[in-house]
Short mmCIF file of all heavy atoms in Angstrom, two decimals:
data_model
loop_
_atom_site.label_atom_id
_atom_site.label_comp_id
_atom_site.label_asym_id
_atom_site.label_seq_id
_atom_site.Cartn_x
_atom_site.Cartn_y
_atom_site.Cartn_z
N PHE A 224 -13.38 7.81 0.84
CA PHE A 224 -13.62 6.48 0.30
C PHE A 224 -14.39 5.67 1.33
O PHE A 224 -14.43 5.99 2.51
CB PHE A 224 -12.32 5.76 -0.07
CG PHE A 224 -11.42 5.46 1.11
CD1 PHE A 224 -11.60 4.30 1.87
CD2 PHE A 224 -10.40 6.32 1.45
CE1 PHE A 224 -10.78 4.01 2.94
CE2 PHE A 224 -9.57 6.04 2.53
CZ PHE A 224 -9.76 4.88 3.28
N GLY A 225 -14.98 4.58 0.87
CA GLY A 225 -15.60 3.60 1.74
C GLY A 225 -16.93 4.02 2.32
O GLY A 225 -17.56 4.96 1.85
N PRO A 226 -17.35 3.26 3.32
CA PRO A 226 -16.59 2.24 4.05
C PRO A 226 -16.39 0.93 3.27
O PRO A 226 -17.22 0.55 2.48
CB PRO A 226 -17.44 1.98 5.31
CG PRO A 226 -18.82 2.36 4.91
CD PRO A 226 -18.70 3.47 3.91
N VAL A 227 -15.22 0.32 3.53
CA VAL A 227 -14.86 -0.96 2.92
C VAL A 227 -14.47 -1.92 4.03
O VAL A 227 -13.63 -1.60 4.87
CB VAL A 227 -13.67 -0.80 1.95
CG1 VAL A 227 -13.27 -2.14 1.38
CG2 VAL A 227 -14.00 0.19 0.84
N THR A 228 -15.09 -3.10 4.06
CA THR A 228 -14.72 -4.13 5.02
C THR A 228 -13.80 -5.14 4.33
O THR A 228 -14.16 -5.71 3.30
CB THR A 228 -15.96 -4.84 5.58
OG1 THR A 228 -16.78 -3.89 6.26
CG2 THR A 228 -15.56 -5.94 6.57
N LEU A 229 -12.63 -5.32 4.89
CA LEU A 229 -11.61 -6.17 4.27
C LEU A 229 -11.84 -7.64 4.59
O LEU A 229 -12.28 -8.00 5.69
CB LEU A 229 -10.22 -5.74 4.76
CG LEU A 229 -9.85 -4.28 4.47
CD1 LEU A 229 -8.52 -3.94 5.13
CD2 LEU A 229 -9.80 -4.01 2.98
N GLY A 230 -11.52 -8.48 3.62
CA GLY A 230 -11.61 -9.92 3.80
C GLY A 230 -10.50 -10.44 4.69
O GLY A 230 -9.61 -9.70 5.11
N GLU A 231 -10.50 -11.75 4.92
CA GLU A 231 -9.53 -12.35 5.86
C GLU A 231 -8.11 -12.34 5.33
O GLU A 231 -7.17 -12.60 6.08
CB GLU A 231 -9.96 -13.78 6.18
CG GLU A 231 -9.97 -14.71 4.98
CD GLU A 231 -10.41 -16.12 5.33
OE1 GLU A 231 -10.99 -16.31 6.41
OE2 GLU A 231 -10.14 -17.03 4.52
N ASP A 232 -7.92 -12.02 4.05
CA ASP A 232 -6.58 -12.03 3.47
C ASP A 232 -6.29 -10.71 2.74
O ASP A 232 -5.45 -10.66 1.86
CB ASP A 232 -6.46 -13.21 2.50
CG ASP A 232 -5.03 -13.54 2.15
OD1 ASP A 232 -4.16 -13.46 3.05
OD2 ASP A 232 -4.75 -13.86 0.98
N GLU A 233 -6.99 -9.65 3.13
CA GLU A 233 -6.90 -8.38 2.39
C GLU A 233 -6.33 -7.25 3.25
O GLU A 233 -6.57 -7.19 4.46
CB GLU A 233 -8.28 -7.98 1.86
CG GLU A 233 -8.83 -8.92 0.81
CD GLU A 233 -10.18 -8.49 0.28
OE1 GLU A 233 -10.93 -7.81 1.02
OE2 GLU A 233 -10.50 -8.84 -0.87
N TYR A 234 -5.61 -6.35 2.55
CA TYR A 234 -4.99 -5.20 3.19
C TYR A 234 -5.33 -3.95 2.39
O TYR A 234 -5.40 -3.99 1.16
CB TYR A 234 -3.47 -5.38 3.27
CG TYR A 234 -3.06 -6.53 4.15
CD1 TYR A 234 -3.14 -7.85 3.69
CD2 TYR A 234 -2.62 -6.31 5.45
CE1 TYR A 234 -2.79 -8.92 4.51
CE2 TYR A 234 -2.26 -7.38 6.27
CZ TYR A 234 -2.36 -8.67 5.79
OH TYR A 234 -2.02 -9.72 6.60
N TRP A 235 -5.50 -2.83 3.11
CA TRP A 235 -5.79 -1.55 2.47
C TRP A 235 -4.52 -0.71 2.50
O TRP A 235 -3.97 -0.44 3.56
CB TRP A 235 -6.92 -0.83 3.20
CG TRP A 235 -7.51 0.32 2.44
CD1 TRP A 235 -7.21 1.64 2.58
CD2 TRP A 235 -8.52 0.24 1.42
NE1 TRP A 235 -7.96 2.40 1.72
CE2 TRP A 235 -8.78 1.57 0.99
CE3 TRP A 235 -9.22 -0.81 0.83
CZ2 TRP A 235 -9.71 1.86 0.00
CZ3 TRP A 235 -10.15 -0.52 -0.15
CH2 TRP A 235 -10.39 0.80 -0.56
N LEU A 236 -4.03 -0.32 1.33
CA LEU A 236 -2.77 0.41 1.19
C LEU A 236 -3.03 1.82 0.69
O LEU A 236 -3.81 2.01 -0.26
CB LEU A 236 -1.83 -0.31 0.22
CG LEU A 236 -1.57 -1.80 0.45
CD1 LEU A 236 -0.58 -2.30 -0.58
CD2 LEU A 236 -1.09 -2.07 1.86
N LEU A 237 -2.35 2.79 1.28
CA LEU A 237 -2.41 4.18 0.82
C LEU A 237 -0.99 4.73 0.72
O LEU A 237 -0.10 4.31 1.45
CB LEU A 237 -3.22 5.06 1.79
CG LEU A 237 -4.70 4.76 1.97
CD1 LEU A 237 -5.30 5.75 2.98
CD2 LEU A 237 -5.46 4.81 0.65
N GLY A 238 -0.80 5.68 -0.19
CA GLY A 238 0.46 6.40 -0.25
C GLY A 238 0.47 7.53 0.76
O GLY A 238 -0.58 8.06 1.12
N ASP A 239 1.65 7.91 1.23
CA ASP A 239 1.74 9.04 2.17
C ASP A 239 1.40 10.36 1.49
O ASP A 239 1.00 11.31 2.15
CB ASP A 239 3.13 9.11 2.78
CG ASP A 239 3.37 8.00 3.80
OD1 ASP A 239 2.43 7.21 4.06
OD2 ASP A 239 4.49 7.92 4.34
N ASN A 240 1.60 10.42 0.19
CA ASN A 240 1.26 11.62 -0.57
C ASN A 240 -0.14 11.41 -1.16
O ASN A 240 -0.32 11.13 -2.34
CB ASN A 240 2.29 11.86 -1.68
CG ASN A 240 2.15 13.22 -2.32
OD1 ASN A 240 1.28 14.01 -1.96
ND2 ASN A 240 3.01 13.50 -3.28
N ARG A 241 -1.12 11.53 -0.30
CA ARG A 241 -2.48 11.06 -0.59
C ARG A 241 -3.11 11.70 -1.83
O ARG A 241 -3.90 11.06 -2.52
CB ARG A 241 -3.39 11.32 0.62
CG ARG A 241 -2.91 10.65 1.90
CD ARG A 241 -3.41 9.23 1.99
NE ARG A 241 -2.79 8.48 3.06
CZ ARG A 241 -3.15 8.55 4.33
NH1 ARG A 241 -4.12 9.35 4.72
NH2 ARG A 241 -2.53 7.80 5.23
N TRP A 242 -2.79 12.94 -2.09
CA TRP A 242 -3.55 13.64 -3.14
C TRP A 242 -3.16 13.23 -4.55
O TRP A 242 -3.91 13.48 -5.50
CB TRP A 242 -3.45 15.16 -2.96
CG TRP A 242 -2.14 15.77 -3.32
CD1 TRP A 242 -0.95 15.58 -2.69
CD2 TRP A 242 -1.89 16.68 -4.39
NE1 TRP A 242 0.04 16.31 -3.29
CE2 TRP A 242 -0.51 17.00 -4.34
CE3 TRP A 242 -2.67 17.26 -5.38
CZ2 TRP A 242 0.08 17.87 -5.26
CZ3 TRP A 242 -2.08 18.13 -6.28
CH2 TRP A 242 -0.71 18.42 -6.21
N ILE A 243 -2.02 12.53 -4.71
CA ILE A 243 -1.65 12.06 -6.06
C ILE A 243 -1.44 10.55 -6.11
O ILE A 243 -1.21 10.00 -7.18
CB ILE A 243 -0.38 12.76 -6.59
CG1 ILE A 243 0.84 12.37 -5.77
CG2 ILE A 243 -0.56 14.26 -6.65
CD1 ILE A 243 2.14 12.74 -6.43
N SER A 244 -1.49 9.88 -4.97
CA SER A 244 -1.18 8.46 -4.93
C SER A 244 -2.25 7.61 -5.60
O SER A 244 -3.44 7.83 -5.43
CB SER A 244 -1.03 8.00 -3.46
OG SER A 244 -0.80 6.62 -3.39
N LYS A 245 -1.79 6.63 -6.39
CA LYS A 245 -2.66 5.58 -6.90
C LYS A 245 -2.54 4.40 -5.94
O LYS A 245 -1.47 3.79 -5.83
CB LYS A 245 -2.25 5.15 -8.31
CG LYS A 245 -2.34 6.26 -9.34
CD LYS A 245 -3.77 6.71 -9.55
CE LYS A 245 -3.85 7.78 -10.64
NZ LYS A 245 -5.22 8.33 -10.76
N ASP A 246 -3.60 4.09 -5.24
CA ASP A 246 -3.52 3.10 -4.18
C ASP A 246 -4.83 2.35 -4.05
O ASP A 246 -5.58 2.24 -5.02
CB ASP A 246 -3.10 3.77 -2.86
CG ASP A 246 -3.86 5.07 -2.60
OD1 ASP A 246 -5.08 5.09 -2.89
OD2 ASP A 246 -3.26 6.04 -2.11
N SER A 247 -5.12 1.83 -2.86
CA SER A 247 -6.32 1.02 -2.69
C SER A 247 -7.61 1.78 -2.96
O SER A 247 -8.64 1.16 -3.26
CB SER A 247 -6.35 0.41 -1.28
OG SER A 247 -5.41 -0.63 -1.16
N ILE A 248 -7.58 3.09 -2.87
CA ILE A 248 -8.76 3.87 -3.23
C ILE A 248 -9.09 3.64 -4.70
O ILE A 248 -10.26 3.61 -5.10
CB ILE A 248 -8.54 5.37 -2.96
CG1 ILE A 248 -8.29 5.61 -1.46
CG2 ILE A 248 -9.73 6.20 -3.44
CD1 ILE A 248 -7.95 7.04 -1.12
N ASP A 249 -8.05 3.45 -5.52
CA ASP A 249 -8.23 3.27 -6.96
C ASP A 249 -8.41 1.81 -7.36
O ASP A 249 -9.25 1.49 -8.19
CB ASP A 249 -7.03 3.85 -7.71
CG ASP A 249 -6.80 5.31 -7.37
OD1 ASP A 249 -7.56 6.15 -7.88
OD2 ASP A 249 -5.89 5.60 -6.57
N PHE A 250 -7.60 0.90 -6.77
CA PHE A 250 -7.63 -0.49 -7.22
C PHE A 250 -8.11 -1.47 -6.17
O PHE A 250 -8.12 -2.68 -6.39
CB PHE A 250 -6.27 -0.93 -7.76
CG PHE A 250 -5.10 -0.62 -6.86
CD1 PHE A 250 -4.90 -1.30 -5.67
CD2 PHE A 250 -4.19 0.35 -7.23
CE1 PHE A 250 -3.81 -1.01 -4.86
CE2 PHE A 250 -3.09 0.64 -6.44
CZ PHE A 250 -2.91 -0.05 -5.24
N GLY A 251 -8.54 -0.97 -5.02
CA GLY A 251 -9.11 -1.84 -4.00
C GLY A 251 -8.06 -2.48 -3.12
O GLY A 251 -6.87 -2.18 -3.20
N PRO A 252 -8.49 -3.40 -2.25
CA PRO A 252 -7.55 -4.04 -1.33
C PRO A 252 -6.55 -4.93 -2.04
O PRO A 252 -6.78 -5.39 -3.16
CB PRO A 252 -8.45 -4.84 -0.39
CG PRO A 252 -9.76 -4.96 -1.08
CD PRO A 252 -9.87 -3.84 -2.06
N VAL A 253 -5.44 -5.19 -1.35
CA VAL A 253 -4.38 -6.05 -1.86
C VAL A 253 -4.35 -7.33 -1.04
O VAL A 253 -4.44 -7.29 0.19
CB VAL A 253 -3.02 -5.33 -1.78
CG1 VAL A 253 -1.87 -6.27 -2.10
CG2 VAL A 253 -2.99 -4.13 -2.72
N GLU A 254 -4.21 -8.47 -1.70
CA GLU A 254 -4.16 -9.73 -0.99
C GLU A 254 -2.77 -9.98 -0.40
O GLU A 254 -1.76 -9.45 -0.89
CB GLU A 254 -4.54 -10.88 -1.93
CG GLU A 254 -5.99 -10.83 -2.38
CD GLU A 254 -6.39 -12.04 -3.19
OE1 GLU A 254 -5.50 -12.87 -3.49
OE2 GLU A 254 -7.58 -12.17 -3.51
N ARG A 255 -2.73 -10.80 0.64
CA ARG A 255 -1.47 -11.06 1.36
C ARG A 255 -0.39 -11.60 0.44
O ARG A 255 0.79 -11.22 0.56
CB ARG A 255 -1.74 -12.06 2.51
CG ARG A 255 -0.49 -12.38 3.35
CD ARG A 255 -0.01 -11.15 4.08
NE ARG A 255 1.17 -11.40 4.89
CZ ARG A 255 2.41 -11.37 4.42
NH1 ARG A 255 2.64 -11.10 3.14
NH2 ARG A 255 3.43 -11.59 5.23
N ASP A 256 -0.73 -12.49 -0.47
CA ASP A 256 0.26 -13.08 -1.36
C ASP A 256 0.90 -12.06 -2.29
O ASP A 256 1.99 -12.31 -2.84
CB ASP A 256 -0.36 -14.20 -2.20
CG ASP A 256 -0.62 -15.46 -1.40
OD1 ASP A 256 -0.06 -15.57 -0.28
OD2 ASP A 256 -1.36 -16.33 -1.88
N ASP A 257 0.24 -10.92 -2.48
CA ASP A 257 0.78 -9.88 -3.37
C ASP A 257 1.73 -8.94 -2.65
O ASP A 257 2.35 -8.08 -3.28
CB ASP A 257 -0.35 -9.08 -4.02
CG ASP A 257 -1.11 -9.91 -5.04
OD1 ASP A 257 -0.47 -10.75 -5.71
OD2 ASP A 257 -2.34 -9.73 -5.18
N ILE A 258 1.83 -9.06 -1.34
CA ILE A 258 2.81 -8.26 -0.59
C ILE A 258 4.14 -8.99 -0.64
O ILE A 258 4.28 -10.10 -0.13
CB ILE A 258 2.34 -8.03 0.86
CG1 ILE A 258 1.06 -7.19 0.86
CG2 ILE A 258 3.44 -7.34 1.67
CD1 ILE A 258 0.48 -6.92 2.24
N LYS A 259 5.12 -8.37 -1.27
CA LYS A 259 6.39 -9.03 -1.57
C LYS A 259 7.49 -8.70 -0.58
O LYS A 259 8.47 -9.46 -0.46
CB LYS A 259 6.85 -8.65 -2.98
CG LYS A 259 5.83 -8.93 -4.07
CD LYS A 259 5.43 -10.38 -4.10
CE LYS A 259 4.44 -10.67 -5.22
NZ LYS A 259 3.98 -12.08 -5.19
N ALA A 260 7.39 -7.57 0.10
CA ALA A 260 8.46 -7.17 1.03
C ALA A 260 7.90 -6.16 2.01
O ALA A 260 6.87 -5.53 1.77
CB ALA A 260 9.66 -6.60 0.27
N ARG A 261 8.61 -6.01 3.13
CA ARG A 261 8.19 -5.08 4.18
C ARG A 261 9.38 -4.26 4.65
O ARG A 261 10.50 -4.75 4.69
CB ARG A 261 7.62 -5.87 5.36
CG ARG A 261 6.93 -5.02 6.41
CD ARG A 261 6.52 -5.86 7.60
NE ARG A 261 7.66 -6.11 8.48
CZ ARG A 261 7.60 -6.83 9.60
NH1 ARG A 261 6.46 -7.40 9.95
NH2 ARG A 261 8.66 -6.99 10.35
N GLY A 262 9.11 -3.00 5.00
CA GLY A 262 10.19 -2.13 5.49
C GLY A 262 10.94 -1.50 4.34
O GLY A 262 10.85 -1.93 3.19
N ALA A 263 11.69 -0.43 4.66
CA ALA A 263 12.46 0.26 3.62
C ALA A 263 13.71 0.88 4.23
O ALA A 263 13.64 1.53 5.27
CB ALA A 263 11.60 1.33 2.97
N PHE A 264 14.82 0.63 3.55
CA PHE A 264 16.11 1.22 3.93
C PHE A 264 16.66 1.92 2.70
O PHE A 264 16.92 1.27 1.68
CB PHE A 264 17.07 0.13 4.42
CG PHE A 264 18.44 0.65 4.78
CD1 PHE A 264 18.68 1.19 6.04
CD2 PHE A 264 19.47 0.62 3.86
CE1 PHE A 264 19.94 1.67 6.37
CE2 PHE A 264 20.73 1.09 4.17
CZ PHE A 264 20.97 1.62 5.43
N VAL A 265 16.81 3.24 2.78
CA VAL A 265 17.34 3.99 1.64
C VAL A 265 18.81 3.65 1.48
O VAL A 265 19.61 3.82 2.40
CB VAL A 265 17.15 5.51 1.82
CG1 VAL A 265 17.84 6.27 0.69
CG2 VAL A 265 15.67 5.86 1.84
N LEU A 266 19.17 3.17 0.29
CA LEU A 266 20.55 2.77 0.00
C LEU A 266 21.29 3.82 -0.81
O LEU A 266 22.46 4.12 -0.56
CB LEU A 266 20.56 1.43 -0.75
CG LEU A 266 21.92 0.89 -1.16
CD1 LEU A 266 22.74 0.55 0.09
CD2 LEU A 266 21.78 -0.34 -2.04
N ILE A 267 20.62 4.35 -1.84
CA ILE A 267 21.24 5.33 -2.73
C ILE A 267 20.35 6.55 -2.81
O ILE A 267 19.13 6.40 -3.02
CB ILE A 267 21.46 4.73 -4.12
CG1 ILE A 267 22.41 3.53 -4.04
CG2 ILE A 267 22.00 5.78 -5.10
CD1 ILE A 267 22.60 2.80 -5.36
N PRO A 268 20.90 7.77 -2.65
CA PRO A 268 22.32 8.06 -2.47
C PRO A 268 22.79 7.79 -1.04
O PRO A 268 21.99 7.80 -0.10
CB PRO A 268 22.40 9.55 -2.79
CG PRO A 268 21.06 10.09 -2.39
CD PRO A 268 20.10 8.99 -2.71
N PHE A 269 24.09 7.55 -0.90
CA PHE A 269 24.63 7.23 0.41
C PHE A 269 24.42 8.36 1.41
O PHE A 269 24.33 8.10 2.62
CB PHE A 269 26.14 6.90 0.30
CG PHE A 269 26.41 5.69 -0.56
CD1 PHE A 269 27.41 5.70 -1.51
CD2 PHE A 269 25.66 4.53 -0.40
CE1 PHE A 269 27.66 4.57 -2.29
CE2 PHE A 269 25.90 3.40 -1.17
CZ PHE A 269 26.91 3.43 -2.11
N SER A 270 24.37 9.59 0.93
CA SER A 270 24.20 10.74 1.82
C SER A 270 22.84 10.74 2.52
O SER A 270 22.65 11.39 3.53
CB SER A 270 24.39 12.05 1.06
OG SER A 270 23.41 12.15 0.02
#
């Protein structure tokens, strides 16, 4: 993909499973206001 130069409020997101992920390659950069949360803690299953 690209090259793509991001704007002052834009982020480029990719999935770790690149070959099937629908991400910024498909829909472009994401604006800061659209980022709702950061980090991940697996809760379920407890194991």
